[in-house]
Amino acid sequence: MTVSSNSAVNGHTTTRRPLPCGIYAPTMTFFDPETEELDIPTIKKHAERLARDGLAGLVTMGSNGEAIHCTREEKVAVTRATREALEAAGFPTMPIIVGATEGSVKGTIELCKESAAVGGDYVLLLPPSYFRAQMDEEAIVGYFTAVADESPLPIVLYNYPGAVAGIDMDSDLLIKLAQHPNIVGTKFTCGSTGKLTRVALATNAKTPTSEGSGYMAFGGICDFTVQTLVSGGSGIIAGGANVMPKVCVKVWNLYAEGKTEEAIALQKVLSRGDWYLTKAAIAGTKQAIQSYFGYGGYPRRPLKRLEKAKVEAIAEGIRDVMEIEKSL
């Protein structure tokens, strides 16, 4: 569980980019609007914008990155392109967490190794869920332990019941898994601040004021950034940071600087705007980027493209928070 920037993980000696506290974006994966092939130039452009806007790190091939729609080769290509973009833009120390979940232990370990080879620093893993009826706690512990034993990259657990047939890892299980030296964090997309509090406390998680053990307790939605900080959290991995990264960072920094009332006030604006993105999901987030930054496009099918009226409604719904974004 204890994280070091210089470590030997499963036989791989590395100088690892550390995970700083702060805001991380699970980056969108952009596609050609006609062919649906990867749009590598736009993927790189987006990574550079997010880095310049002050994020602490990036997550490739998560839920927002449409990992489920991509081949393994495409997943590797996206992570490689993201690392190349960060290097070229002058952000060589920015960490990349890679969504590397596959259905089997063997497949997941292979993707972890391929992710390491192209510039990934950590992996974000969901519990296996396709054979839901057989996925009891013993099976889940066995999966994560087997992967952690072999992965060259440290693991951030991903608790997102909506993506895995309702599997919701409780705090006891997450604390148990955190005892493995190659499991270094959890992303709480479940939205449970109580669970985050218990895990952060038990693991002595890193915070803006304390290095602690180095374990990272990530909130999974930007509309509870302040709540994550109050709960002893380490950072936020949130889709909204693709659209309004500066506001997300500002909320975090205000609270970390002790400006609690200002942070709470800005959190309210952020939460109101982020709801429009949450409701419209990947297609809506991409169209919000299109509306305000001139690129974004569409998700891969079977996700539907939004009608013009819906796109306009999203742009209007986030107008207040985007005015603040543009002012920062």
Side-chain angles (χ1 to χ4, degrees):
M1 179 179 71
T2 301
V3 182
S4 171
S5 59
N6 293 281
S7 58
V9 177
N10 296 328
H12 300 263
T13 302
T14 62
T15 301
R16 193 171 312 287
R17 298 173 183 89
L19 292 172
C21 287
I23 306 296
Y24 294 65
T27 59
M28 318 303 292
T29 300
F30 300 98
F31 305 108
D32 182 281
E34 301 299 328
T35 66
E36 296 191 2
E37 295 297 327
L38 292 179
D39 182 351
I40 293 296
T42 300
I43 289 168
K44 289 185 171 184
K45 174 183 178 179
H46 186 63
E48 179 179 341
R49 178 174 75 82
L50 297 180
R52 293 194 186 283
D53 285 350
L55 296 190
L58 301 180
V59 179
T60 59
M61 301 320 305
S63 302
N64 278 272
E66 297 182 65
I68 195 66
H69 291 164
C70 294
T71 66
R72 182 185 292 185
E73 292 75 18
E74 288 175 326
K75 294 173 185 178
V76 171
V78 168
T79 299
R80 180 189 294 111
T82 301
R83 174 56 66 201
E84 289 173 351
L86 293 176
E87 296 277 354
F91 297 94
T93 63
M94 178 169 280
I96 297 175
I97 305 172
V98 183
T101 305
E102 293 215 356
S104 68
V105 168
K106 182 178 184 295
T108 301
I109 292 169
E110 289 174 354
L111 185 52
C112 290
K113 291 177 178 179
E114 291 186 46
S115 299
V118 294
D121 300 294
Y122 304 82
V123 289
L124 180 67
L125 299 182
L126 290 160
S129 63
Y130 187 85
F131 298 104
R132 174 66 179 90
Q134 285 72 49
M135 290 302 108
D136 57 12
E137 182 170 314
E138 181 182 4
I140 292 170
V141 170
Y143 169 81
F144 282 121
T145 301
V147 175
D149 284 345
E150 298 294 331
S151 172
L153 299 181
I155 293 166
V156 177
L157 306 172
Y158 189 4
N159 194 49
Y160 182 15
V164 288
I167 293 174
D168 190 1
M169 296 184 286
D170 65 23
S171 54
D172 293 339
L173 175 55
L174 293 169
I175 292 165
K176 179 180 181 179
L177 288 168
Q179 295 172 14
H180 194 292
N182 205 28
I183 295 177
V184 300
T186 300
K187 180 188 178 189
F188 295 85
T189 305
C190 55
S192 173
T193 52
K195 186 184 298 184
L196 189 154
T197 302
R198 292 188 293 274
V199 174
L201 179 63
T203 59
N204 188 24
K206 186 175 183 178
T207 71
T209 59
S210 172
E211 282 294 313
S213 68
Y215 194 89
M216 300 294 287
F218 288 106
I221 311 170
C222 65
D223 69 3
F224 67 99
T225 299
V226 167
Q227 296 91 322
T228 294
L229 282 155
V230 171
S231 298
S234 315
I236 300 289
I237 301 174
N242 284 285
V243 182
M244 46 257 197
K246 293 180 183 178
V247 174
C248 293
V249 171
K250 187 68 172 179
V251 171
W252 183 273
N253 289 344
L254 284 171
Y255 191 92
E257 293 164 3
K259 300 174 182 177
T260 307
E261 294 304 318
E262 292 179 55
I264 291 172
L266 188 55
Q267 174 72 75
K268 292 176 180 178
V269 179
L270 176 58
S271 295
R272 185 172 62 242
D274 188 56
W275 178 234
Y276 288 90
L277 303 179
T278 300
K279 289 190 294 182
I282 292 168
T285 300
K286 284 189 168 182
Q287 284 299 292
I289 296 169
Q290 186 75 51
S291 295
Y292 283 94
F293 298 99
Y295 67 93
Y298 309 100
R300 271 183 174 167
R301 293 170 293 176
L303 292 181
K304 296 185 293 184
R305 298 185 178 191
L306 301 182
E307 298 176 355
K308 182 179 179 181
K310 181 66 173 178
V311 173
E312 292 174 348
I314 294 168
E316 181 58 33
I318 65 173
R319 186 174 304 280
D320 288 348
V321 71
M322 291 308 296
E323 286 180 358
I324 298 172
E325 178 75 19
K326 294 294 189 180
S327 74
L328 295 173

